[in-house]
Amino acid sequence: MTLPALQNTSVLYRRILSQFPQDISLAFAYGSGVFKQNGTSQGQMGKNMLDFVFAVDDPVTWHTMNLMQNRKHYSVLKFLGPRKISRIQEEHGAGVYYNTLIPMDGRIMKYGVISTDSLIDDLLHWKTMYIAGRLHKPVKILVQGENGKMRAALVGNLKSAVTASFLMLPESFSEEDLLLQIAGLSYAGDFRMVIGEDRSKVANIVKENVQHFRILYNNILQECPQVVYKPQQGKLEVDKSPEGQFVQLMALPRTLQQRITRLVDPPGKNRDVEEILLQVAQDPDCGSVVQQGISSIVKSSSITQTAKGIATAGLLKSLSYSTKKLQKMWKGWRMKKP
């Protein structure tokens, strides 16, 4: 099974991609500049920042070439050279190096660079959920190589999002409930949702993009043995028995299982992961424990990646970017006022 993707790459995206080194294993665009969100007009959408992620096999080589082609994109860190930039990318935050507020073909963009191996690791194991979480939601795939591991990891990430969401939902729920849960996974525990992001962001994403979400998740839901999916009625029923929840917990990404284990197992007891998850499966608060595990992953990666972003963007760009985020949060808050 290959990842269902929105492959319609317009001239704008092709023009932007042509200005970067071409050794990219996966490139995608995401966010409010690419997908319409509730309460945003087409005109406003055209003014929003374009967000890109580039996965590259060899970050040192890629940054070497990009520094020659697009040196102005980098902050003062460009003087450290491509090897140091790659080390900062790989060893700090969520393994992503962002250049932001870049003028490009009449739009403003930001782009993150992540190694192919780090991306696959995040997709499979939710080590940081930073890019894996973005890929729970509709994205516009611009480049996708023939890497079989990457393709399998992309689909596995979607399956993990469904499984985690099942554990946090009641026995019967609507399609909208599921999509809101999935879309909200990568925001659980993100400190930017307290200050810096529009708090109605998750609902705004889902409302205007239900069909795009269906393209991503329809086959997974149809093939999942633990759910009764009634697409015509928009209803789902999931197995909430201890046995069913145990199967779901065992299918969760490794890092999330480890976080759940730490939450439940007293220090020094050192029980087997399987034994602990069996206990959690029988707990009426199983969904809450899973939620706490996800929040702990997202919280730490969002803080460390944001701190790194100040260095990679530079202080002035960071202040400008943060101001725009606060303005969006204020606008969302005002729209919700009666």
Side-chain angles (χ1 to χ4, degrees):
M1 177 184 174
T2 57
L3 178 70
L6 306 164
Q7 302 269 9
N8 179 25
T9 58
S10 69
V11 172
L12 172 65
Y13 297 121
R14 291 200 295 270
R15 282 170 63 93
I16 289 173
L17 277 175
S18 71
Q19 299 183 54
F20 290 94
Q22 296 303 293
D23 185 19
I24 294 172
S25 61
L26 180 76
F28 64 88
Y30 66 97
S32 60
V34 180
F35 291 94
K36 193 173 185 302
Q37 294 186 6
N38 191 49
T40 305
S41 69
Q42 208 67 36
Q44 288 172 315
M45 190 178 155
K47 296 175 184 174
N48 287 345
M49 186 186 295
L50 292 169
D51 297 301
F52 288 74
V53 167
F54 303 144
V56 301
D57 291 343
D58 183 347
V60 175
T61 300
W62 197 90
H63 283 296
T64 300
M65 295 166 69
N66 199 42
L67 281 162
M68 290 191 282
Q69 289 178 228
N70 299 300
R71 192 170 180 82
K72 288 182 180 178
H73 293 183
Y74 291 80
S75 70
V76 69
L77 297 183
K78 60 177 166 274
F79 295 110
L80 298 177
R83 289 191 179 280
K84 281 281 177 64
I85 286 172
S86 298
R87 283 187 63 185
I88 292 167
Q89 173 188 311
E90 291 283 318
E91 296 175 10
H92 302 280
V96 197
Y97 189 102
Y98 271 101
N99 285 324
T100 191
L101 295 177
I102 310 296
M104 188 78 73
D105 273 84
R107 297 288 294 270
I108 299 296
M109 70 173 291
K110 81 170 187 279
Y111 61 94
V113 184
I114 184 170
S115 76
T116 302
D117 288 344
S118 291
L119 176 54
I120 290 171
D121 188 53
D122 197 34
L123 292 169
L124 290 176
H125 305 303
W126 286 9
K127 186 177 177 182
T128 69
M129 275 185 73
Y130 201 83
I131 302 300
R134 277 150 182 75
L135 285 158
H136 292 158
K137 298 172 276 292
V139 302
K140 195 176 283 290
I141 300 287
L142 308 174
V143 173
Q144 186 169 358
E146 295 302 313
N147 187 321
K149 282 186 180 178
M150 173 74 80
R151 288 177 180 273
L154 286 164
V155 176
N157 181 49
L158 298 180
K159 289 180 177 179
S160 295
V162 169
T163 302
S165 296
F166 283 170
L167 286 160
M168 292 184 282
L169 287 163
E171 188 173 0
S172 299
F173 49 91
S174 69
E175 180 186 56
E176 184 182 20
D177 292 334
L178 175 64
L179 298 183
L180 287 167
Q181 190 72 60
I182 289 171
L185 291 175
S186 63
Y187 298 114
D190 189 337
F191 80 97
R192 293 170 300 176
M193 294 301 286
V194 178
I195 180 165
E197 289 285 8
D198 177 2
R199 294 184 196 181
S200 56
K201 182 168 186 167
V202 174
N204 290 344
I205 291 169
V206 171
K207 279 180 185 174
E208 290 286 343
N209 295 288
V210 170
Q211 197 54 43
H212 293 321
F213 274 97
R214 284 177 181 154
I215 291 169
L216 284 177
Y217 290 102
N218 185 62
N219 285 347
I220 290 170
L221 293 173
Q222 296 279 13
E223 294 168 8
C224 179
Q226 296 199 297
V227 69
V228 178
Y229 178 37
K230 304 171 185 173
Q232 301 303 322
Q233 296 143 346
K235 300 288 183 186
L236 300 96
E237 294 172 11
V238 71
D239 183 0
K240 299 300 283 187
S241 69
E243 295 81 11
Q245 293 197 140
F246 178 64
V247 170
Q248 292 159 21
L249 288 163
M250 289 298 291
L252 291 175
R254 185 177 63 205
T255 304
L256 180 52
Q257 289 181 340
Q258 291 168 345
R259 296 296 178 111
I260 290 170
T261 299
R262 284 184 213 165
L263 285 165
V264 174
D265 203 34
K269 229 180 169 188
N270 297 323
R271 287 186 297 162
D272 185 75
V273 171
E274 194 170 322
E275 183 187 344
I276 295 162
L277 295 181
L278 185 59
Q279 176 191 325
V280 174
Q282 299 171 66
D283 189 333
D285 294 325
C286 173
S288 175
V289 175
V290 173
Q291 175 82 37
Q292 289 175 60
I294 291 171
S295 295
S296 71
I297 296 170
V298 174
K299 183 178 181 180
S300 62
S301 66
S302 69
I303 290 171
T304 55
Q305 183 64 35
T306 300
K308 183 169 85 171
I310 295 169
T312 61
L315 187 58
L316 288 177
K317 280 188 177 181
S318 295
L319 288 170
S320 176
Y321 182 70
S322 299
T323 300
K324 286 182 171 67
K325 286 286 188 183
L326 288 167
Q327 286 170 342
K328 281 179 77 174
M329 185 179 76
W330 173 250
K331 181 186 170 187
W333 181 76
R334 288 188 67 189
M335 284 175 67
K336 287 205 302 189
K337 281 183 75 175

